[in-house]
Amino acid sequence: MRFIVTLFIALVVLTALQPWLHKLGIGRLPGDWRFRIGQREYLLPFTSTLLLTLLVFLIGKLL
């Protein structure tokens, strides 16, 4: 259950920071879905979220 909550929080944060993170290449990985409905563009960064969650988890284990 904690993993799902962590994944959801990371997804919200990545979506909010998407313009800045896009310059770093996050959000353009295979598995990150981007689609447009009308004038709005939506991003679902599944792969980026999993990679960043794994990175934070490994840093937490090392500390």
Coordinates of all heavy atoms in Angstrom, one line a residue:
M1 N 0.8 -1.2 0.0 CA 0.0 0.0 0.0 C 0.9 1.3 0.0 O 0.5 2.2 -0.6 CB -0.9 -0.1 1.2 CG -1.9 1.1 1.3 SD -3.0 1.0 0.0 CE -3.9 2.5 0.3
R2 N 2.0 1.2 0.7 CA 2.9 2.4 0.8 C 3.4 2.7 -0.6 O 3.6 3.9 -0.9 CB 4.0 2.2 1.8 CG 3.6 2.4 3.2 CD 4.8 2.4 4.1 NE 5.8 1.5 3.7 CZ 6.9 1.2 4.4 NH1 7.1 1.8 5.6 NH2 7.8 0.3 4.0
F3 N 3.7 1.6 -1.4 CA 4.3 1.8 -2.7 C 3.3 2.6 -3.6 O 3.7 3.5 -4.3 CB 4.7 0.5 -3.3 CG 5.2 0.6 -4.7 CD1 6.5 1.1 -4.9 CD2 4.5 0.3 -5.8 CE1 7.1 1.3 -6.1 CE2 5.0 0.4 -7.1 CZ 6.3 0.9 -7.2
I4 N 2.0 2.3 -3.5 CA 1.0 2.9 -4.3 C 0.9 4.4 -3.9 O 0.8 5.3 -4.8 CB -0.3 2.2 -4.2 CG1 -0.2 0.8 -4.8 CG2 -1.5 3.0 -4.9 CD1 -1.4 -0.1 -4.6
V5 N 0.9 4.7 -2.6 CA 0.8 6.1 -2.2 C 2.1 6.8 -2.6 O 2.0 8.0 -3.1 CB 0.7 6.1 -0.6 CG1 0.8 7.5 -0.1 CG2 -0.6 5.5 -0.2
T6 N 3.2 6.2 -2.5 CA 4.5 6.9 -3.0 C 4.4 7.1 -4.5 O 4.8 8.2 -5.0 CB 5.7 6.0 -2.6 OG1 5.7 5.8 -1.2 CG2 7.0 6.7 -3.0
L7 N 4.0 6.2 -5.2 CA 3.9 6.3 -6.7 C 2.9 7.4 -7.0 O 3.2 8.2 -7.9 CB 3.4 5.0 -7.3 CG 3.4 4.9 -8.8 CD1 4.9 5.0 -9.3 CD2 2.8 3.5 -9.2
F8 N 1.8 7.5 -6.4 CA 0.8 8.6 -6.6 C 1.4 10.0 -6.3 O 1.3 10.9 -7.1 CB -0.5 8.4 -5.8 CG -1.5 9.5 -6.0 CD1 -2.2 9.6 -7.1 CD2 -1.7 10.4 -5.0 CE1 -3.1 10.6 -7.3 CE2 -2.6 11.4 -5.1 CZ -3.3 11.5 -6.3
I9 N 2.1 10.1 -5.2 CA 2.7 11.4 -4.8 C 3.8 11.8 -5.8 O 3.8 12.9 -6.2 CB 3.2 11.3 -3.4 CG1 2.1 11.3 -2.4 CG2 4.1 12.6 -3.1 CD1 2.5 11.0 -1.0
A10 N 4.6 10.8 -6.2 CA 5.6 11.1 -7.2 C 5.0 11.5 -8.6 O 5.5 12.4 -9.2 CB 6.5 9.9 -7.4
L11 N 3.9 10.9 -8.9 CA 3.2 11.2 -10.2 C 2.7 12.7 -10.1 O 2.8 13.4 -11.1 CB 2.0 10.2 -10.4 CG 1.3 10.4 -11.7 CD1 2.2 10.1 -12.9 CD2 0.1 9.4 -11.8
V12 N 2.1 13.0 -9.0 CA 1.6 14.4 -8.8 C 2.7 15.4 -8.9 O 2.6 16.5 -9.6 CB 0.8 14.6 -7.5 CG1 0.5 16.0 -7.2 CG2 -0.5 13.7 -7.6
V13 N 3.8 15.1 -8.2 CA 5.0 16.1 -8.2 C 5.6 16.2 -9.6 O 5.9 17.3 -10.1 CB 6.0 15.6 -7.2 CG1 7.3 16.4 -7.3 CG2 5.5 15.8 -5.8
L14 N 5.8 15.0 -10.3 CA 6.3 15.1 -11.6 C 5.4 15.8 -12.6 O 5.9 16.5 -13.5 CB 6.6 13.7 -12.2 CG 7.8 13.0 -11.7 CD1 7.8 11.5 -12.1 CD2 9.1 13.7 -12.1
T15 N 4.1 15.7 -12.5 CA 3.2 16.4 -13.3 C 3.3 17.9 -13.1 O 3.3 18.7 -14.0 CB 1.8 15.9 -13.2 OG1 1.8 14.5 -13.4 CG2 0.8 16.5 -14.1
A16 N 3.4 18.3 -11.8 CA 3.5 19.7 -11.5 C 4.8 20.3 -12.0 O 4.9 21.5 -12.4 CB 3.4 19.9 -10.0
L17 N 5.9 19.6 -11.9 CA 7.2 20.0 -12.3 C 7.6 19.7 -13.8 O 8.7 19.9 -14.2 CB 8.3 19.4 -11.4 CG 8.2 19.8 -9.9 CD1 9.3 19.0 -9.1 CD2 8.4 21.3 -9.8
Q18 N 6.6 19.3 -14.5 CA 6.8 18.8 -15.9 C 7.6 19.7 -16.8 O 8.5 19.3 -17.5 CB 5.5 18.3 -16.5 CG 5.6 17.6 -17.8 CD 5.4 18.6 -19.0 OE1 4.8 19.6 -18.9 NE2 6.0 18.3 -20.1
P19 N 7.2 21.0 -16.9 CA 8.0 21.9 -17.8 C 9.5 21.9 -17.5 O 10.3 21.9 -18.4 CB 7.4 23.3 -17.6 CG 6.0 23.0 -17.0 CD 6.1 21.7 -16.2
W20 N 9.9 22.0 -16.2 CA 11.3 22.0 -15.8 C 12.0 20.7 -16.1 O 13.1 20.6 -16.6 CB 11.4 22.5 -14.4 CG 12.8 22.6 -13.9 CD1 13.7 23.5 -14.2 CD2 13.5 21.7 -13.1 NE1 14.9 23.3 -13.6 CE2 14.8 22.1 -12.9 CE3 13.1 20.5 -12.4 CZ2 15.7 21.5 -12.1 CZ3 14.0 19.9 -11.6 CH2 15.3 20.4 -11.5
L21 N 11.3 19.6 -15.7 CA 11.9 18.3 -15.8 C 12.0 17.9 -17.3 O 12.8 17.1 -17.6 CB 11.0 17.3 -15.1 CG 11.1 17.4 -13.6 CD1 10.1 16.4 -12.9 CD2 12.5 17.2 -13.0
H22 N 11.1 18.4 -18.2 CA 11.2 18.1 -19.6 C 12.5 18.5 -20.2 O 13.0 17.8 -21.1 CB 10.0 18.7 -20.3 CG 9.9 18.3 -21.7 ND1 9.6 17.0 -22.1 CD2 10.0 19.0 -22.9 CE1 9.5 16.9 -23.4 NE2 9.8 18.1 -23.9
K23 N 13.1 19.6 -19.7 CA 14.4 20.0 -20.2 C 15.5 19.1 -19.8 O 16.5 19.0 -20.5 CB 14.7 21.4 -19.6 CG 13.8 22.5 -20.1 CD 14.1 23.8 -19.5 CE 13.2 24.9 -19.9 NZ 13.4 26.2 -19.3
L24 N 15.3 18.3 -18.7 CA 16.3 17.3 -18.3 C 16.1 15.9 -18.9 O 16.9 15.0 -18.7 CB 16.2 17.1 -16.8 CG 16.5 18.4 -15.9 CD1 16.3 18.1 -14.4 CD2 17.9 18.8 -16.1
G25 N 15.0 15.8 -19.7 CA 14.7 14.5 -20.4 C 13.8 13.6 -19.7 O 13.4 12.6 -20.2
I26 N 13.3 14.0 -18.5 CA 12.3 13.2 -17.8 C 11.0 13.5 -18.3 O 10.6 14.7 -18.5 CB 12.4 13.5 -16.3 CG1 13.8 13.1 -15.7 CG2 11.3 12.9 -15.5 CD1 14.1 13.4 -14.3
G27 N 10.2 12.5 -18.6 CA 8.9 12.7 -19.2 C 8.9 12.3 -20.7 O 7.9 12.3 -21.3
R28 N 10.1 12.0 -21.2 CA 10.2 11.6 -22.6 C 10.8 10.2 -22.8 O 11.2 9.8 -23.8 CB 11.2 12.6 -23.3 CG 10.6 14.0 -23.4 CD 11.5 14.9 -24.2 NE 12.7 15.2 -23.4 CZ 13.7 15.9 -23.9 NH1 13.7 16.3 -25.1 NH2 14.7 16.2 -23.1
L29 N 10.7 9.4 -21.7 CA 11.1 8.0 -21.8 C 10.0 7.1 -22.4 O 8.9 7.5 -22.3 CB 11.5 7.5 -20.4 CG 12.6 8.3 -19.6 CD1 12.7 7.8 -18.2 CD2 13.9 8.1 -20.4
P30 N 10.4 6.0 -22.9 CA 9.4 5.0 -23.4 C 8.5 4.6 -22.2 O 9.1 4.3 -21.1 CB 10.2 3.8 -23.9 CG 11.6 4.4 -24.1 CD 11.8 5.5 -23.2
G31 N 7.3 4.7 -22.3 CA 6.3 4.4 -21.2 C 5.7 5.6 -20.6 O 4.8 5.5 -19.8
D32 N 6.2 6.8 -20.9 CA 5.6 8.0 -20.5 C 4.6 8.4 -21.6 O 5.0 8.6 -22.7 CB 6.7 9.1 -20.3 CG 7.7 8.8 -19.2 OD1 7.3 8.1 -18.3 OD2 8.8 9.4 -19.2
W33 N 3.4 8.5 -21.2 CA 2.3 8.8 -22.1 C 2.1 10.3 -22.2 O 1.9 10.9 -21.2 CB 1.1 8.1 -21.8 CG 1.2 6.6 -21.9 CD1 2.2 5.9 -22.4 CD2 0.3 5.6 -21.4 NE1 2.0 4.5 -22.2 CE2 0.8 4.4 -21.6 CE3 -1.0 5.7 -20.8 CZ2 0.1 3.2 -21.3 CZ3 -1.6 4.6 -20.4 CH2 -1.1 3.3 -20.7
R34 N 2.0 10.8 -23.4 CA 1.7 12.2 -23.6 C 0.5 12.3 -24.6 O 0.6 11.7 -25.7 CB 2.9 13.0 -24.1 CG 2.6 14.4 -24.4 CD 3.9 15.0 -24.9 NE 5.0 14.9 -24.0 CZ 5.4 15.8 -23.2 NH1 4.8 16.9 -23.1 NH2 6.5 15.5 -22.4
F35 N -0.6 13.0 -24.3 CA -1.6 13.1 -25.3 C -2.3 14.4 -25.1 O -2.2 15.1 -24.1 CB -2.7 11.9 -25.1 CG -3.3 11.8 -23.7 CD1 -4.4 12.4 -23.4 CD2 -2.6 11.1 -22.7 CE1 -5.0 12.3 -22.1 CE2 -3.2 10.9 -21.5 CZ -4.3 11.6 -21.2
R36 N -3.0 14.8 -26.2 CA -3.6 16.1 -26.2 C -5.1 16.0 -26.4 O -5.6 15.2 -27.3 CB -3.0 16.9 -27.4 CG -3.5 18.3 -27.6 CD -2.8 19.0 -28.7 NE -1.4 19.3 -28.2 CZ -1.0 20.5 -27.9 NH1 -1.8 21.5 -28.1 NH2 0.2 20.7 -27.4
I37 N -5.9 16.7 -25.6 CA -7.3 16.7 -25.7 C -7.7 18.2 -25.8 O -7.5 19.0 -24.9 CB -8.0 16.1 -24.5 CG1 -7.7 14.6 -24.4 CG2 -9.5 16.3 -24.6 CD1 -8.2 13.9 -23.2
G38 N -8.2 18.6 -27.0 CA -8.5 20.0 -27.2 C -7.2 20.8 -27.2 O -6.2 20.5 -28.0
Q39 N -7.2 21.8 -26.4 CA -6.0 22.7 -26.3 C -5.0 22.3 -25.2 O -4.0 22.9 -25.1 CB -6.5 24.2 -26.1 CG -7.3 24.7 -27.2 CD -6.4 24.9 -28.5 OE1 -5.3 25.2 -28.4 NE2 -7.1 24.8 -29.6
R40 N -5.4 21.3 -24.4 CA -4.6 20.9 -23.3 C -3.8 19.7 -23.6 O -4.2 18.8 -24.3 CB -5.4 20.6 -22.0 CG -5.9 21.9 -21.4 CD -6.5 21.6 -20.0 NE -5.5 21.1 -19.1 CZ -5.1 21.7 -18.0 NH1 -5.5 22.9 -17.8 NH2 -4.2 21.1 -17.2
E41 N -2.5 19.7 -23.1 CA -1.7 18.5 -23.2 C -1.5 17.8 -21.9 O -1.2 18.5 -20.9 CB -0.3 18.9 -23.8 CG 0.6 17.8 -24.1 CD 1.9 18.2 -24.7 OE1 1.8 19.1 -25.6 OE2 2.9 17.7 -24.3
Y42 N -1.7 16.5 -21.9 CA -1.6 15.8 -20.6 C -0.4 14.8 -20.7 O -0.1 14.3 -21.7 CB -2.9 14.9 -20.4 CG -4.1 15.8 -20.2 CD1 -4.9 16.1 -21.3 CD2 -4.4 16.3 -19.0 CE1 -6.0 16.9 -21.1 CE2 -5.5 17.1 -18.8 CZ -6.3 17.4 -19.8 OH -7.4 18.2 -19.7
L43 N 0.3 14.7 -19.5 CA 1.4 13.8 -19.5 C 1.2 12.8 -18.3 O 0.9 13.2 -17.2 CB 2.7 14.6 -19.2 CG 4.0 13.9 -18.9 CD1 4.4 13.1 -20.2 CD2 5.1 14.8 -18.5
L44 N 1.4 11.6 -18.6 CA 1.4 10.5 -17.6 C 2.8 9.9 -17.6 O 3.0 8.9 -18.3 CB 0.3 9.5 -17.9 CG -1.1 10.0 -17.9 CD1 -2.1 9.0 -18.4 CD2 -1.5 10.6 -16.6
P45 N 3.7 10.4 -16.7 CA 5.1 9.9 -16.7 C 5.3 8.6 -15.9 O 5.9 8.6 -14.9 CB 5.8 11.1 -16.1 CG 4.9 11.7 -15.2 CD 3.5 11.5 -15.8
F46 N 4.7 7.5 -16.4 CA 4.8 6.2 -15.6 C 6.3 5.8 -15.5 O 6.7 5.5 -14.4 CB 4.0 5.2 -16.3 CG 2.5 5.4 -16.3 CD1 1.8 5.6 -17.4 CD2 1.9 5.5 -15.0 CE1 0.4 5.8 -17.4 CE2 0.5 5.8 -15.0 CZ -0.2 5.9 -16.1
T47 N 7.0 5.7 -16.6 CA 8.4 5.2 -16.5 C 9.3 6.2 -15.7 O 10.1 5.7 -14.9 CB 9.0 5.0 -17.9 OG1 8.1 4.2 -18.7 CG2 10.4 4.4 -17.9
S48 N 9.1 7.4 -15.9 CA 9.9 8.4 -15.2 C 9.6 8.3 -13.7 O 10.5 8.4 -12.8 CB 9.7 9.8 -15.7 OG 10.1 10.0 -17.0
T49 N 8.4 8.2 -13.3 CA 8.0 8.0 -11.9 C 8.6 6.8 -11.3 O 9.1 6.9 -10.2 CB 6.4 8.0 -11.8 OG1 5.9 9.2 -12.4 CG2 6.0 7.9 -10.4
L50 N 8.5 5.7 -12.0 CA 9.1 4.5 -11.4 C 10.7 4.6 -11.3 O 11.2 4.2 -10.2 CB 8.8 3.3 -12.3 CG 7.4 2.8 -12.3 CD1 7.2 1.7 -13.4 CD2 7.0 2.3 -10.9
L51 N 11.3 5.2 -12.2 CA 12.8 5.4 -12.1 C 13.1 6.3 -11.0 O 14.1 6.0 -10.2 CB 13.3 5.9 -13.4 CG 13.4 4.9 -14.6 CD1 13.9 5.6 -15.8 CD2 14.3 3.7 -14.2
L52 N 12.4 7.4 -10.9 CA 12.7 8.4 -9.8 C 12.4 7.8 -8.4 O 13.1 8.0 -7.4 CB 12.0 9.7 -10.0 CG 12.6 10.5 -11.2 CD1 11.8 11.8 -11.4 CD2 14.0 10.9 -10.9
T53 N 11.3 7.0 -8.3 CA 10.9 6.4 -7.1 C 12.0 5.4 -6.7 O 12.4 5.3 -5.5 CB 9.6 5.7 -7.2 OG1 8.6 6.7 -7.6 CG2 9.2 5.0 -5.9
L54 N 12.5 4.6 -7.6 CA 13.6 3.6 -7.4 C 14.8 4.4 -6.9 O 15.5 3.9 -6.0 CB 13.9 2.8 -8.6 CG 14.9 1.8 -8.5 CD1 14.6 0.7 -7.5 CD2 15.2 1.1 -9.9
L55 N 15.2 5.5 -7.5 CA 16.3 6.2 -7.2 C 16.2 6.8 -5.7 O 17.2 6.6 -4.9 CB 16.5 7.4 -8.1 CG 17.7 8.3 -7.9 CD1 19.0 7.6 -8.1 CD2 17.6 9.5 -8.8
V56 N 15.1 7.3 -5.4 CA 14.9 7.8 -4.0 C 14.9 6.7 -3.0 O 15.5 6.8 -1.9 CB 13.5 8.6 -3.9 CG1 13.1 8.9 -2.5 CG2 13.6 9.9 -4.8
F57 N 14.3 5.5 -3.4 CA 14.4 4.4 -2.5 C 15.8 3.9 -2.2 O 16.2 3.6 -1.1 CB 13.5 3.2 -3.1 CG 13.6 1.9 -2.4 CD1 12.9 1.8 -1.2 CD2 14.4 0.9 -2.9 CE1 13.0 0.6 -0.5 CE2 14.5 -0.3 -2.2 CZ 13.8 -0.5 -1.0
L58 N 16.6 3.8 -3.3 CA 18.0 3.4 -3.1 C 18.8 4.4 -2.3 O 19.6 4.0 -1.5 CB 18.6 3.2 -4.5 CG 18.1 2.0 -5.3 CD1 18.7 2.0 -6.7 CD2 18.4 0.7 -4.6
I59 N 18.6 5.7 -2.5 CA 19.3 6.7 -1.7 C 18.9 6.6 -0.3 O 19.7 6.7 0.7 CB 19.0 8.1 -2.3 CG1 19.7 8.3 -3.6 CG2 19.4 9.2 -1.3 CD1 19.3 9.6 -4.3
G60 N 17.6 6.3 0.0 CA 17.1 6.1 1.4 C 17.7 4.9 2.0 O 18.0 4.9 3.2
K61 N 17.9 3.8 1.3 CA 18.5 2.6 1.8 C 20.0 2.9 2.1 O 20.5 2.3 3.1 CB 18.4 1.5 0.9 CG 17.0 0.9 0.8 CD 16.7 0.2 2.1 CE 15.4 -0.6 2.0 NZ 15.0 -1.3 3.2
L62 N 20.7 3.7 1.3 CA 22.1 3.9 1.6 C 22.3 4.8 2.8 O 23.3 4.7 3.4 CB 22.7 4.5 0.3 CG 22.8 3.6 -0.9 CD1 23.4 4.3 -2.1 CD2 23.7 2.4 -0.6
L63 N 21.4 5.7 3.0 CA 21.5 6.6 4.2 C 21.1 5.9 5.4 O 21.4 6.0 6.5 CB 20.7 7.9 4.0 CG 21.1 8.7 2.8 CD1 20.1 9.9 2.7 CD2 22.5 9.2 3.0

